[in-house]
């Protein structure tokens, strides 16, 4: 079998197993091992032990379990309900009412969770019953939550960026900062769209009243304040260069515990539950990362990475043609492969090409995360669609229809990021190392 | 991911869930170990930050131990995730299969997973034996004998194999029952 046919077979087996319903980490590991066996027989497997140790004995990656635990503590102690209640008083007065609160709530929760699924599930679980009981437009309600949830991996602390940074040996702190401004812009674009839509078609969202008095406004601010302090401390310490992302995550866990004891319903039993649920989420993500390292090793064992790089560089594409090709690749992949899978399968192959095209890896990290966000709300496997549908128990088609305008807004931001890279690069170039 | 049914209806995976393995002694022990590892990770790294802020000095062990904890967490959590059905999977083809078809495809996937886990266990055991024989030490202040942290990978993968064996037994019983719910 020729090397080209071998790599096509490995990717084919991966996509087949994934689509057929095998669990994601095994669907990555099985073709990797098959590929190693094809390349070198049993001798090809001998590096697996050291690759396993070398890839997972990583201090950088310890940020992943810690940020997951932090979000789980806040979610488990009922504090996502408080975020939503507080924000609903602050944002419900503007056109779009609680739909605006959905986006603001997702943006705030994204800043502490790092995960789109956690964001969509936390805010969706609180918001959907209220939206439906007040006769908000069903597709727009579901769409705003599914799309708002994707902010979880653009705002720091983004788990996707930690994984990208680990694979490319890029500064995770700089990646976090690069995602912040695009995250704020995307939030404002989502909210503007909802505002204009609700103004043009008042039937989609009933008029809500915001805070009715200064005292109510102050109470609403007090509901959100603990999160503002938590986000400010974790992100602020990274931006100021006082802590690494991993250290900020550990401090975040301690602070989240204290906040949840004071303002939430955290006790030892709830904390044990949070730890138990975190282990399930963490194990899944870490196994996918580990499987991807094995896949990456299998590809490099055969020297295919160099061949792919040589082929792509040999095409002599212009920068914009290269972006257009990436756009097609990730749009298709986003419909087939789940978020972390997209990063870990493509980045080891594409990363060397970035250098040849003079593309900044930090900026590319933000672009890649945007593509992944799109994939998370693209049928047939966009995970946020199913998260919202499972909470709602409604039609999947309504969720899909509701996300279409948000897709277009995300494409617009992608174009803006490509035309004005400084939108992503301004903060990282001004932060303390 | 997950199911793709358009209307609220009984899930096509109800029967499969009835056959889901219960958490056994090994998986339960693995779960408790993972929770402890996670708590220790938080406390260790927070202690590093506090020490540096208060004394200006580093504990000097955090990076090393943090890495060991992560490796242990990765491998020991695998069997826990498997029995808790926490691994993501795409279900839109599975949802369109008959009960029997789903039972056979599960058997095939679990066989492949078991083969894969078996190969990993074999290679990790090989590395552990070499590390033990050669008395490898970490090039750090602690000079940790590397067989100790690496043993967590072997233990986690071994439990994963045991869990997969239990699941394969369940798959065979499920096929014998025609894919329907257990009696």
């Amino acid at each position: 079998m020729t090397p080209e046919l071998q790599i096509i077979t490995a990717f084919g087996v991966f996509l087949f197993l994934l689509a057929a319903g095998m669990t994601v980490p095994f669907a990555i590991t099985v073709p990797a091992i098959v590929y190693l066996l094809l390349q070198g027989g049993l001798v090809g497997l001998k590096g697996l032990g050291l690759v396993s140790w070398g890839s997972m004995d990583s201090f950088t990656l310890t940020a992943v379990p810690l940020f997951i635990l932090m979000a789980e503590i806040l979610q488990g102690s009922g504090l996502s309900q408080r975020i939503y209640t507080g924000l609903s008083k602050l944002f419900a007065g503007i056109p779009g009412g609680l739909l605006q609160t959905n986006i603001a709530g997702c943006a705030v929760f994204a800043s502490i969770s790092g995960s789109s699924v956690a964001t969509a599930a936390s805010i969706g679980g609180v918001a959907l019953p209220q939206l439906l009981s007040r006769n908000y437009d069903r597709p727009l309600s579901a769409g705003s939550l599914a799309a708002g949830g994707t902010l979880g991996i653009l705002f720091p602390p983004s788990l996707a960026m930690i994984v990208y940074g680990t694979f490319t040996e890029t500064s995770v702190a700089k990646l976090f900062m690069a995602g912040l401004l695009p995250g704020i812009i995307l939030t404002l674009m989502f909210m503007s769209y909802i505002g204009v839509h609700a103004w043009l078609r008042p039937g989609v969202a009933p008029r809500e009243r915001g805070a009715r008095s200064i005292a109510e406004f102050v109470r609403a601010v007090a509901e959100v304040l603990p999160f503002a302090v938590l986000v400010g401390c974790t992100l602020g310490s990274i931006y100021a260069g006082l802590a690494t992302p991993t250290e900020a995550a550990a401090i975040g866990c301690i602070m989240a515990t204290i906040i949840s004891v004071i303002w939430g319903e955290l006790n030892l039993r709830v904390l044990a539950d949070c730890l138990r649920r975190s282990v399930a989420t963490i194990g899944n993500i870490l196994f996918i990362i580990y499987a991807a390292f094995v896949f990456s090793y299998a590809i490099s064992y055969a020297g295919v990475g160099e061949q792919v790089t040589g082929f792509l560089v040999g095409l002599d594409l212009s920068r914009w043609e290269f972006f257009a090709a990436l756009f097609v690749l990730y749009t298709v992949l986003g419909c087939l492969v789940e978020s972390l899978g997209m990063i870990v399968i493509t980045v080891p192959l594409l990363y060397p090409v970035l250098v040849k095209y003079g593309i900044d890896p930090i900026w590319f990290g933000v672009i890649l995360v945007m593509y992944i966000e799109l994939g998370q709300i693209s049928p047939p496997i966009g995970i946020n669609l199913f998260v919202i549908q499972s909470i709602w128990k409604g039609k999947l088609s309504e969720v899909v229809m509701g996300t279409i305008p948000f897709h277009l807004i995300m494409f617009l931001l992608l174009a803006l990021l490509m035309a004005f890279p400084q939108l992503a690069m301004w903060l990282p170039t001004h932060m303390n190392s | 991911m997950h199911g793709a049914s358009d209307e609220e209806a009984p899930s096509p995976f109800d029967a499969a869930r009835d056959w889901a393995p219960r958490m056994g002694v090994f998986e339960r022990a693995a779960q408790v170990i993972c929770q402890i590892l996670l708590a220790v990770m938080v406390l260790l790294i927070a202690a590093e930050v506090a020490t540096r802020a208060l004394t200006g000095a580093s504990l000097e062990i955090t990076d090393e131990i943090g890495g060991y904890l992560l490796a242990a967490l990765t491998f020991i959590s695998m069997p826990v995730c498997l029995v808790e059905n926490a691994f993501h999977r795409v279900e839109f083809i599975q949802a369109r299969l008959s009960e029997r078809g789903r039972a056979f495809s599960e058997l095939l996937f679990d066989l492949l997973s078991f083969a894969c886990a078996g190969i990993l266990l074999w290679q990790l055991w090989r590395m552990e034996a070499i590390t033990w024989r050669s008395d490898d030490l970490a090039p750090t202040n602690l000079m940790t004998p590397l067989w100790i942290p690496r043993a967590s990978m072997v233990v986690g993968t071994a439990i994963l194999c045991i869990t997969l064996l239990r699941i394969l037994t369940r798959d065979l019983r499920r096929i014998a029952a025609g894919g329907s719910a257990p009696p």
Side-chain angles (χ1 to χ4, degrees), chain B:
Chain B
M1 310 247 128
H2 314 294
S5 59
D6 203 45
E7 302 287 347
E8 188 180 354
S11 164
F13 297 99
D14 284 351
R17 268 191 279 275
D18 291 339
W19 284 102
R22 294 213 167 23
M23 201 172 260
V25 179
F26 289 114
E27 292 87 4
R28 203 173 296 280
Q31 190 179 46
V32 172
I33 291 169
C34 287
Q35 291 176 38
I36 293 168
L37 291 173
L38 191 53
V40 170
M41 194 185 276
V42 173
L43 295 175
L44 175 72
I45 299 170
E48 164 73 26
V49 178
T51 309
R52 212 174 53 221
L54 295 173
T55 68
S58 166
L59 293 175
E60 304 280 355
I61 58 165
T62 314
D63 283 24
E64 181 187 355
I65 304 289
Y68 297 161
L69 291 172
L70 186 88
L73 192 56
T74 304
F75 286 86
I76 298 176
S77 64
M78 287 175 184
V80 181
C81 292
L82 198 61
V83 286
E84 292 212 328
N85 210 13
F87 291 135
H88 288 164
R89 57 168 40 178
V90 179
E91 292 179 342
F92 61 89
I93 290 181
Q94 289 280 310
R96 282 155 182 78
L97 295 177
S98 65
E99 290 291 352
R100 204 173 167 75
R102 262 200 298 280
F104 272 106
S105 68
E106 291 272 336
L107 176 67
L108 178 67
F109 292 150
D110 291 334
L111 271 173
L112 283 172
S113 303
F114 180 69
C116 173
I119 288 173
L120 286 177
L121 180 60
W122 168 38
Q123 290 304 320
L124 291 171
W125 175 256
R126 246 190 82 251
M127 183 182 66
E128 180 70 356
I130 293 169
T131 310
W132 170 270
R133 278 199 301 271
S134 56
D135 281 332
D136 279 356
L137 301 177
T140 57
N141 291 340
L142 283 179
M143 294 179 68
T144 312
L146 283 173
W147 69 267
I148 299 173
R150 287 178 180 175
S152 66
M153 302 198 301
V154 179
V155 171
T157 315
I159 300 176
L160 179 69
C161 288
I162 293 169
T163 308
L164 278 163
L165 269 178
R166 286 179 53 219
I167 291 175
L168 279 169
T169 318
R170 172 211 67 171
D171 289 340
L172 291 172
R173 281 192 289 125
R174 185 176 161 196
I175 287 172
S180 55

Side-chain angles (χ1 to χ4, degrees), chain A residues 154-156 161 171-185 231 235-236 238-241 360 362-363 366 417 420-433:
Chain A
L154 189 54
F155 274 100
M161 285 184 179
S171 161
V172 175
K174 287 191 172 181
L175 281 166
F176 278 2
M177 291 307 140
L180 189 56
L181 202 52
I184 293 170
I185 294 171
V231 172
L235 299 189
I238 297 171
Y239 184 76
D360 190 299
I362 302 275
W363 175 81
V366 177
L417 281 169
F420 306 105
Q422 278 306 307
L423 289 175
M425 297 307 296
W426 187 79
L427 266 179
T429 50
H430 285 81
M431 70 184 281
N432 289 329
S433 59

